[in-house]
Amino acid sequence: MEKKLKDLREEYLKIPIPKELNDVVQAALNEKPRKKPRVGRNILVSAAAVLLIVTASVNISPAAAKAMGDIPIVEKVIKVITFVEWKEEANNSSAVIKTPAISGLENKQLEDSLNDKYLSESKQLYKEFTDSMSKLKEGEKGNISVESGYVILTDNETILSVQRYTDTISASSSTESQFDTVDKKNEVLLTLNSLFKDDRYLQVINENIKEQMKRQMAEDPEKIYWVEDDDFTAFKGIDENQNFYINEDGKLVIAFNSYEAAPGYMGAVEFIIPTKVLSDLLVGDQYIH
């Protein structure tokens, strides 16, 4: 693990970052470990608190931690760690951007491509935040809050599902997420298409989602989905690039970002698709069952 983190650190140092962060980055990377690091007492840059933390904390559940503790040292262990974290506060605005990294895959091409993507997404988000701050007039408040992080949704012997999310609050609020599901045994990235025999699954899933939307609205008047046929914003259905993941119960979950399938106050919404409606279309039951 120490060698992996060293490699990740060296890899990160090769990637350009915003010029104003150079001194902070170097200080954070060269700082000697402390027994009890405290985020609240870190480096200030020009009245904006900018912090870069490289950590080795494995983000796993207690149950997964116990299971991993029982695995012989020679076994392959695939982990998700917090690789780098940016924090900044300025002009009544704040950004917390946490970047995951996957380690332990023998398929280094897949591992590197995922980690490069995660780092690139975080850098772009940070750049967008700092660009918006630079456009403010003197004394003007930004009133923007950006929080980006990740959640391990599923981690078992077969698959690893990771969600990266970004919550943005400005004049309104929104949540956007992206998901990756990795077959841990074969070390391949699963796509929605790869789970099914042919594209008939699209219509089946669309019809089931519409049924769930209508049922939820009938049961709870507070819920609204864009499902009515005469509504110009009506739910048009998913395509092969739709956000999805496989949960701990082996069920397919279709995920929508804010405003994609419902008004903004509903936030991000998800629908668990019953396996019984998919069983005849699946290529197998090793993932979804």
Side-chain angles (χ1 to χ4, degrees):
M1 187 60 182
E2 290 179 0
K3 182 179 184 303
K4 180 63 179 178
L5 288 174
K6 182 180 179 181
D7 292 342
L8 285 172
R9 177 179 179 272
E10 292 174 353
E11 183 80 15
Y12 178 77
L13 287 172
K14 297 177 184 177
I15 302 173
I17 59 175
K19 185 175 184 297
E20 62 271 21
L21 283 181
N22 281 343
D23 293 339
V24 180
V25 170
Q26 292 302 322
L29 291 174
N30 295 324
E31 187 179 51
K32 294 182 179 179
R34 302 174 185 173
K35 290 184 178 180
K36 295 182 179 180
R38 298 186 62 181
V39 173
R41 298 179 180 178
N42 282 286
I43 303 170
L44 292 176
V45 177
S46 304
V50 182
L51 174 65
L52 181 143
I53 307 171
V54 178
T55 73
S57 58
V58 179
N59 188 353
I60 54 177
S61 67
K66 180 181 184 303
M68 288 173 62
D70 294 336
I71 298 175
I73 192 66
V74 295
E75 292 292 330
K76 176 176 64 178
V77 178
I78 300 171
K79 300 179 181 180
V80 181
I81 64 172
T82 298
F83 174 44
V84 66
E85 180 176 350
W86 283 305
K87 288 187 178 182
E88 181 166 345
E89 294 182 6
N91 296 319
N92 203 41
S93 299
S94 64
V96 178
I97 302 171
K98 186 181 296 184
T99 306
I102 295 178
S103 68
L105 289 173
E106 294 178 3
N107 183 347
K108 294 306 175 185
Q109 183 176 0
L110 174 60
E111 182 176 294
D112 292 344
S113 66
L114 289 173
N115 291 340
D116 288 348
K117 178 176 67 171
Y118 299 157
L119 186 56
S120 177
E121 289 172 352
S122 292
K123 288 173 61 181
Q124 179 61 31
L125 190 59
Y126 179 81
K127 182 179 185 301
E128 290 173 358
F129 177 79
T130 54
D131 285 350
S132 65
M133 292 298 99
S134 67
K135 294 177 181 178
L136 295 175
K137 298 178 181 178
E138 185 176 355
E140 185 179 1
K141 300 298 182 182
N143 299 317
I144 299 173
S145 173
V146 178
E147 180 179 351
S148 179
Y150 66 97
V151 179
I152 298 176
L153 299 168
T154 306
D155 187 3
N156 55 36
E157 292 182 355
T158 306
I159 62 172
L160 172 69
S161 286
V162 182
Q163 173 190 11
R164 288 111 54 229
Y165 66 86
T166 301
D167 293 328
T168 304
I169 301 176
S170 183
S172 59
S173 63
S174 67
T175 299
E176 294 187 1
S177 293
Q178 292 178 292
F179 302 81
D180 287 318
T181 297
V182 175
D183 176 334
K184 295 169 68 174
K185 292 183 178 180
N186 297 304
E187 298 202 355
V188 295
L189 186 65
L190 298 180
T191 64
L192 198 56
N193 269 345
S194 69
L195 301 173
F196 298 94
K197 299 173 183 177
D198 52 52
D199 62 5
R200 288 178 296 161
Y201 74 91
L202 292 171
Q203 182 177 352
V204 171
I205 291 176
N206 286 336
E207 290 304 317
N208 185 264
I209 289 175
K210 290 178 182 179
E211 290 175 8
Q212 291 193 48
M213 287 177 170
K214 292 176 180 179
R215 182 169 63 251
Q216 289 185 29
M217 288 192 295
E219 295 173 351
D220 184 353
E222 297 295 320
K223 290 186 176 182
I224 295 178
Y225 292 106
W226 293 326
V227 69
E228 299 301 329
D229 293 336
D230 59 350
D231 190 340
F232 73 95
T233 59
F235 171 67
K236 300 297 191 299
I238 67 168
D239 59 30
E240 60 186 24
N241 298 314
Q242 177 65 42
N243 270 333
F244 79 96
Y245 66 93
I246 299 171
N247 66 19
E248 289 283 3
D249 296 323
K251 306 303 180 186
L252 177 65
V253 183
I254 299 297
F256 296 93
N257 292 326
S258 297
Y259 302 98
E260 284 188 337
Y265 80 89
M266 291 279 288
V269 295
E270 297 180 349
F271 298 90
I272 300 174
I273 310 302
T275 302
K276 63 182 180 181
V277 307
L278 302 173
S279 57
D280 292 339
L281 306 174
L282 294 167
V283 295
D285 60 1
Q286 66 269 43
Y287 306 125
I288 300 173
H289 42 262

